[in-house]
Amino acid sequence: MNLIIRILPTPFARFSTSNLKCASIGIRREDKNHWERRVPLVPNEVERVVKELGARVLIQPSTKRVVPDQKYHEAGATISEDLSSADIIIGVKEVPVYSLLPEKTYLFFSHTYKGQKYNMPLLKNILDKNIRLIDYELMVDDNNKRLVLFSRFAGYAGMIDGFHGLGQRLLALGYGTPIGMSYMYRCVADARLDVTRSGQVIMDDGLPVGLGPMIFVFTGDGNVSRV
């Protein structure tokens, strides 16, 4: 199957200036993973969209989102389970196929353009439902540089989750570990404090003889590996 993906200059490219005022945006509740707390837009950005574009913003309620619903309500969004009236629906991670609404424009990381086999059913469903998909990963400038990409905070989260994964392995071998997963921390400062404390324990007490030497290798030259 040949697939041609056309990237629009902005999420609102399908709307002319005259009808942009009537556009409505829906913000999904992330549901791919039970621990997912990220958001595609924060309240300050929602407020700008409402005030500067005159757009209506709908957001699905969530009890685990890193920003509480009330903050979005105060920014001018309408809390609504139903996003069917939205012209554009945005999220972070892949949308489960049963949640995809036909004839809509979606923005999210689909992880399909490299032909990832595990997401081909998602791509087929998108095509079958005549959905316009704008994939963040393929939004680029005139120099073909990505406009939406992982920041250094993704590197922080990945490093913490890597430590957590190592900790789970060590726990199975009988060694305790204090490192949790990144979503468990309220902010970067909390995570940094926990990692620092763990490092201090290692500095003070050392590692069990059976665990050394431990070597960590960081590869790549993107934002994530530069933390």
Side-chain angles (χ1 to χ4, degrees), residues 17-155:
T17 304
S18 60
N19 65 15
L20 182 58
K21 294 292 185 180
C22 300
S24 57
I25 302 170
I27 301 176
R28 296 193 69 253
R29 175 179 56 246
E30 297 298 319
D31 51 4
K32 178 182 178 180
N33 301 304
H34 69 275
W35 44 261
E36 185 61 72
R37 303 179 68 199
R38 290 176 293 178
V39 297
L41 292 177
V42 296
N44 287 346
E45 295 164 336
V46 168
E47 186 174 16
R48 287 187 59 191
V49 169
V50 172
K51 291 182 177 180
E52 296 178 16
L53 299 180
R56 182 179 179 223
V57 177
L58 306 173
I59 182 168
Q60 288 184 319
S62 174
T63 55
K64 63 181 181 180
R65 189 182 286 124
V66 68
V67 181
D69 295 343
Q70 182 60 28
K71 295 292 185 181
Y72 285 96
H73 177 71
E74 293 170 359
T78 299
I79 311 300
S80 174
E81 183 68 34
D82 183 12
L83 299 182
S84 61
S85 63
D87 300 301
I88 302 170
I89 300 176
I90 62 177
V92 178
K93 298 295 289 183
E94 300 99 313
V95 179
V97 294
Y98 58 80
S99 296
L100 288 169
L101 300 177
E103 307 288 337
K104 295 292 184 182
T105 294
Y106 277 87
L107 283 85
F108 59 87
F109 285 108
S110 72
H111 300 293
T112 57
Y113 90 98
K114 294 178 182 177
Q116 292 95 317
K117 289 184 178 180
Y118 63 90
N119 270 342
M120 289 301 98
L122 168 64
L123 183 57
K124 184 179 186 304
N125 204 268
I126 288 171
L127 295 171
D128 290 343
K129 292 182 177 179
N130 196 31
I131 288 170
R132 171 177 288 178
L133 171 62
I134 303 176
D135 194 317
Y136 298 131
E137 204 165 357
L138 295 176
M139 297 177 71
V140 297
D141 62 16
D142 293 337
N143 297 315
N144 207 38
K145 295 190 65 174
R146 285 178 57 181
L147 298 173
V148 182
L149 64 163
F150 295 114
S151 70
R152 69 180 187 278
F153 295 105

Side-chain angles (χ1 to χ4, degrees), residues 171-217:
L171 190 61
L173 296 175
Y175 300 98
T177 173
I179 301 295
M181 289 191 70
S182 57
Y183 77 92
M184 299 169 63
Y185 299 108
R186 181 66 182 174
C187 61
V188 174
D190 288 348
R192 182 181 290 115
L193 179 60
D194 207 5
V195 172
T196 301
R197 285 172 173 168
S198 300
Q200 189 62 50
V201 170
I202 294 174
M203 290 178 63
D204 293 342
D205 303 334
L207 290 172
V209 176
L211 294 183
M214 300 187 74
I215 301 173
F216 297 86
V217 178

